[in-house]
């Protein structure tokens, strides 16, 4: 049965939309339909917490729109997993995935430890917090910083590949990593060649959440959807309406 998956590029630029769509079309299941949308306004990267905060309302609005359009699953395409918790509060039928959580679940099944290759030192504290919150703190071998910003990864692919390869070798040989995780969705297009050279799984932060979203969409057909009890309980519909938010955020 066909399922529809939306990839949200949570930026105010569409520069990554087409190449990410091409990559997802390459790896998707035959009966999955893929769409990629950016926000159309706002910051062009989310390297700062203030930029993340600015993007959150538009991410949530796009998720509500996507659920209304009948998408089965959506991915929030930033390794900070921006707005993932509120996203799961306001969606009742549609599954929502994000890169860090998805990549770490996959990495933890493929090796006992992993290292995450990130662009800047600035990114590490928030990502480390997420690793711990997801329950993988004792599996984290290291963060490896390669001093590239979000828009640098695709500007010079050969240099990006060289830096990731060097960081990956250090992670495996010095830090004890058994899996390497690419800690930015803009690091797409490198994982297959890199894992061939490194000899360990290299988890791509674009492919991983997309494949995870496909799985979550399938699981929803068994009734395995986000729980509405406790942490992801949705806001009362009447209250949300009174606040000028979505008219109906009740969980099905």
């Amino acid at each position: 049965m066909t399922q529809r998956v939306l990839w949200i590029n949570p930026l105010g630029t569409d520069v990554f939309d087409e190449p990410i769509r091409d990559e997802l079309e390459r790896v998707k299941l035959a009966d999955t339909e893929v769409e990629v949308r950016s926000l159309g306004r706002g910051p062009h990267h989310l390297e700062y917490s203030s930029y993340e905060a600015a993007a959150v309302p538009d991410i949530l609005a796009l998720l509500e729109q996507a659920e209304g359009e009948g998408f089965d699953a959506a991915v929030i395409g930033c390794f900070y997993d921006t707005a993932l918790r509120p996203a799961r509060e306001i969606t009742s039928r549609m599954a929502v995935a994000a890169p860090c959580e998805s990549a770490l679940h996959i990495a933890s099944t493929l090796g006992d430890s992993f290292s995450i290759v990130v662009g800047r030192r600035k990114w590490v504290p928030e990502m480390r917090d997420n690793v711990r919150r997801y329950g993988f703190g004792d599996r984290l071998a290291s963060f490896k910083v390669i001093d590239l910003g979000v828009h640098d990864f695709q500007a010079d692919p050969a240099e990006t590949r060289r830096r990731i390869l060097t960081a990956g070798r250090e992670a495996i040989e010095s830090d004890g990593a058994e899996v390497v995780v690419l800690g930015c969705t803009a690091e797409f297009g490198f994982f297959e060649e890199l894992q061939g050279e490194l000899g360990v799984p290299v988890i791509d932060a674009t492919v991983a959440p997309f494949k995870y979203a496909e799985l979550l969409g399938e699981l929803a057909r068994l009734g395995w959807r986000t729980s509405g009890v406790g942490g992801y309980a949705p806001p009362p519909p009447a209250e949300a309406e009174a606040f000028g938010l979505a008219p109906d955020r009740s969980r099905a």
Side-chain angles (χ1 to χ4, degrees):
M1 182 181 294
T2 299
Q3 67 168 325
R4 300 173 65 203
V5 179
L6 174 66
W7 173 279
I8 297 175
N9 175 17
L11 307 177
T13 175
D14 63 0
V15 66
F16 295 118
D17 288 9
E18 286 300 325
I20 286 177
R21 182 182 292 108
D22 290 344
E23 182 71 351
L24 300 183
E25 287 285 351
R26 186 178 71 86
V27 301
K28 74 179 183 66
L29 297 173
D31 59 352
T32 298
E33 296 179 358
V34 181
E35 189 167 337
V36 177
R37 298 181 192 175
S38 47
L39 299 183
R41 65 177 184 176
H44 287 200
H45 63 77
L46 300 186
E47 294 189 40
Y48 299 94
S49 297
S50 54
Y51 290 1
E52 270 198 282
V56 168
D58 286 345
I59 293 171
L60 297 181
L62 183 50
L63 284 163
E64 291 181 320
Q65 178 183 337
E67 183 162 61
E69 292 176 11
F71 281 91
D72 298 287
V75 178
I76 302 170
C78 177
F79 203 82
Y80 284 146
D81 289 4
T82 305
L84 180 59
R85 292 190 69 85
R88 287 176 173 163
E89 283 184 359
I90 66 168
T91 51
S92 61
R93 181 192 53 78
M94 184 177 69
V96 183
C100 182
E101 183 189 59
S102 303
L104 299 191
H105 277 292
I106 294 169
S108 70
T109 69
L110 302 179
D112 188 65
S113 59
F114 56 83
S115 288
I116 303 175
V117 178
V118 301
R120 300 195 194 278
R121 181 178 175 182
K122 166 72 176 176
W123 307 357
V124 173
E126 183 173 349
M127 292 181 181
R128 185 189 292 117
D129 286 348
N130 281 340
V131 172
R132 291 170 176 165
R133 183 160 62 83
Y134 296 148
F136 296 109
D138 61 344
R139 311 284 286 275
L140 175 65
S142 61
F143 279 95
K144 310 301 289 187
V145 179
I146 60 175
D147 294 318
L148 292 173
V150 168
H151 291 277
D152 297 328
F153 291 115
Q154 299 296 325
D156 185 347
E159 177 62 14
T160 298
R161 188 178 298 108
R162 183 190 70 79
R163 294 194 190 195
I164 298 175
L165 187 61
T166 298
R169 284 177 175 150
E170 289 177 359
I172 296 163
E173 295 168 8
S174 301
D175 305 332
E178 298 177 8
V179 179
V180 172
V181 176
L182 303 183
C184 181
T185 56
E187 290 178 83
F188 62 85
F190 300 104
F191 80 95
E192 288 164 310
E193 182 177 349
L194 287 167
Q195 65 192 8
E197 296 192 52
L198 292 172
V200 302
V202 176
I203 309 302
D204 181 284
T206 295
V207 173
F210 175 75
K211 299 303 289 184
Y212 207 68
E214 285 185 314
L215 172 62
L216 292 176
E218 288 293 324
L219 294 179
R221 292 171 180 168
L222 303 177
W224 295 351
R225 296 184 176 90
T226 303
S227 174
V229 176
Y232 293 129
E239 182 176 82
E241 254 188 285
F243 292 162
L245 302 174
D248 184 5
R249 287 179 169 179
S250 58
R251 188 169 309 286

